[in-house]
Amino acid sequence: EKSSEIKGTAQFSIERQQCLLKYYAGEIALRKGDYQSAEGFYQKALTLAEATHWQKIVAYSKGWLSLVLINKGSKDDLNEAERLLDFTVTVAKQYQDRRVVAKCYYNSALLAEKREQPKTFCNWVILAQSEFDKLGMTIAANQMKRWLKNRHSD
């Protein structure tokens, strides 16, 4: 009985390691602009995270998938991106993960920009900037300030 418990724990650990490998492969593909590969990796990470009941990685994968979908840009993709962001920010708030909350605000700004909603865009940028400032993430906060400045100079 003890042996099967250890074997089950080892399998669980291997599944989580595989999940992380897919997750980080998705991040690399996303940074390269390879949205198709990123989407595939994040979907695989999401499937593994759901199978192991790893709520944080489920949320994180959905958050990054939202960015992939925003970049794809069809109406259906944007609607799905919004749904994924809503889920991700809810879980991030439950875990008090302010970095992920800030990133969700950032992604929501990108979504509003893609939908050509300037007022909503500015609201999300202000929220993201505030969170990045609180976290000491000055590069991201300064990017939000530049976005607002450029938006107001149009």
Side-chain angles (χ1 to χ4, degrees), residues 3-22:
S3 173
S4 66
E5 185 178 310
I6 292 170
K7 186 177 179 182
T9 303
Q11 181 62 35
F12 184 74
S13 178
I14 289 169
E15 288 172 348
R16 283 197 168 188
Q17 288 173 1
Q18 290 172 342
C19 177
L20 286 177
L21 287 172
K22 300 300 182 192

Side-chain angles (χ1 to χ4, degrees), residues 116-136:
E116 299 178 358
Q117 300 170 326
K119 185 175 180 180
T120 304
F121 168 81
C122 287
N123 290 339
W124 284 118
V125 169
I126 290 166
L127 284 171
Q129 178 191 335
S130 174
E131 288 300 312
F132 287 136
D133 276 333
K134 289 176 193 172
L135 292 165

